[in-house]
Amino acid sequence: MGNTEAKYAFQPRSFGFAVAFLLCISCLMAQIAYIVYPIDGETPMNESLTWANLPEAKATDTLWVDARSAHEFEKGHIPGAVNLNMDDWARGFATFSGAWRPGRPVVVYCNGGGCMASVDVATRLKKSLPEIEVKILKGGYPTWLQKD
Amino acid sequence: MVTERLARWVLSALFIFGGCLKIFGPEEMRQSIEGFQFVTGDLAVFGAYFIPWFEVTCGIALFFDKTRAAAAFLLCGFMLLITLATFLAWQKGISLHCGCFGRFANDLPDDYRILFMRDAGLIILCAFVCWRSLGLKKT
């Protein structure tokens, strides 16, 4: 009565080819993207501070900038830090200007992980004050809490 | 069949949307990758460019018969890697925003349970689509 057994038409070769094809396309597009809009080597993100450098930063006259919200800042922050975030830039920048003087290194932090607030604030600070030496604390405030 | 098609649409929409949000923000993507504290430097830069395009490519490939299974397979492996990285970050006590949807995810709470549940859901969907796609054509 005919063969009723179902056989899957899985073909390893075509499956493998499709996998390789998709990976190649992704790599190619990534390469093109890198050529069209390369990561700017001058952004503060390249100037990251890790917990290993924290003692050095603590020893110097570093000005800590907390890029988190005012609410998070009130709950806890690095001693001496000023709160400067994109939501209330004018007020925060006035506070920052009162605490910063030319030559004083600045380290911006937020919540760590993929948090972008510190990058945004550091980039904007760099644009506002081109002479500023600004770094980002990798891992953010949680790093400080763990390593303090 | 309808379930498989729905799963594919959901996956496609999610990965194309997520990929597109990150394509033009390689700096942010690199920050997200480095946030996991496993890779830095050139590897993080490579990931910052590769991952968004990988997501978009696989998201689009889910619509085509010839590439559907491969795309679901790759996305499944990718999600397993992400879940593993998230788990290790959790073990290390890193406060993590995954950056999965670019800036849209920045306001999400640092709740690993949500991340794990979402990742598990995506892995199941990817595995389901892969399994169904491989078994579509019977002889």
Side-chain angles (χ1 to χ4, degrees):
Chain A
M1 290 313 205
N3 184 10
T4 56
E5 186 185 354
K7 290 180 181 174
Y8 293 114
F10 173 62
Q11 295 173 313
R13 182 180 282 185
S14 62
F15 179 76
F17 177 77
V19 167
F21 174 74
L22 292 176
L23 288 174
C24 286
I25 290 287
S26 303
C27 281
L28 183 67
M29 294 308 294
Q31 184 65 44
I32 292 170
Y34 181 72
I35 293 167
V36 174
Y37 49 93
I39 286 179
D40 184 2
E42 296 301 315
T43 58
M45 210 173 292
N46 285 344
E47 297 291 327
S48 294
L49 188 77
T50 63
W51 64 268
N53 307 114
L54 275 180
E56 184 189 334
K58 284 178 187 173
T60 58
D61 187 24
T62 299
L63 175 58
W64 298 94
V65 172
D66 191 319
R68 300 174 302 160
S69 67
H71 176 66
E72 287 174 298
F73 180 76
E74 283 167 14
K75 286 204 289 187
H77 57 264
I78 294 176
V82 295
N83 186 212
L84 175 60
N85 58 59
M86 303 298 278
D87 297 333
D88 193 4
W89 182 264
R91 184 195 59 79
F93 192 72
T95 312
F96 171 82
S97 300
W100 183 73
R101 63 175 191 288
R104 188 176 184 189
V106 172
V107 178
V108 188
Y109 67 90
C110 53
N111 275 324
C115 161
M116 297 301 154
S118 56
V119 180
D120 291 340
V121 166
T123 305
R124 192 161 174 181
L125 273 177
K126 195 81 178 168
K127 282 180 183 168
S128 303
L129 305 162
E131 74 276 18
I132 198 170
E133 183 196 333
V134 59
K135 291 182 179 179
I136 290 168
L137 177 60
K138 192 178 284 186
Y141 188 54
T143 295
W144 175 276
L145 292 176
Q146 286 166 20
K147 306 300 175 187
D148 197 17
Chain B
M1 193 67 182
V2 174
T3 317
E4 187 254 345
R5 187 175 297 173
L6 190 66
R8 263 195 302 126
W9 285 350
V10 168
L11 283 176
S12 289
L14 274 175
F15 281 103
I16 292 173
F17 177 67
C20 285
L21 286 176
K22 294 176 286 193
I23 275 178
F24 296 107
E27 286 279 5
E28 297 156 15
M29 189 62 195
R30 182 172 75 171
Q31 179 80 345
S32 294
I33 293 170
E34 290 187 339
F36 283 88
Q37 298 185 16
F38 296 115
V39 291
T40 53
D42 290 343
L43 204 54
V45 172
F46 173 76
Y49 283 99
F50 176 78
I51 290 173
W53 282 108
F54 172 78
E55 291 181 5
V56 171
T57 305
C58 288
I60 293 170
L62 284 171
F63 286 111
F64 300 98
D65 287 347
K66 286 186 184 296
T67 53
R68 186 182 302 168
F73 174 76
L74 284 173
L75 287 173
C76 196
F78 172 68
M79 286 311 303
L80 282 170
L81 272 178
I82 293 290
T83 307
L84 178 66
T86 307
F87 176 77
L88 293 173
W90 176 50
Q91 292 291 303
K92 287 165 89 175
I94 299 170
S95 177
L96 187 72
H97 290 271
C98 73
C100 313
F101 293 99
R103 286 167 183 267
F104 281 74
N106 281 351
D107 294 330
L108 283 175
D110 298 318
D111 193 338
Y112 277 93
R113 284 173 303 180
I114 294 174
L115 287 177
F116 286 133
M117 280 164 57
R118 188 200 58 197
D119 289 354
L122 286 174
I123 288 168
I124 290 167
L125 273 183
C126 289
F128 173 71
V129 170
C130 185
W131 170 65
R132 290 287 299 176
S133 301
L134 287 173
L136 269 182
K137 295 172 187 172
K138 293 180 181 177
T139 56

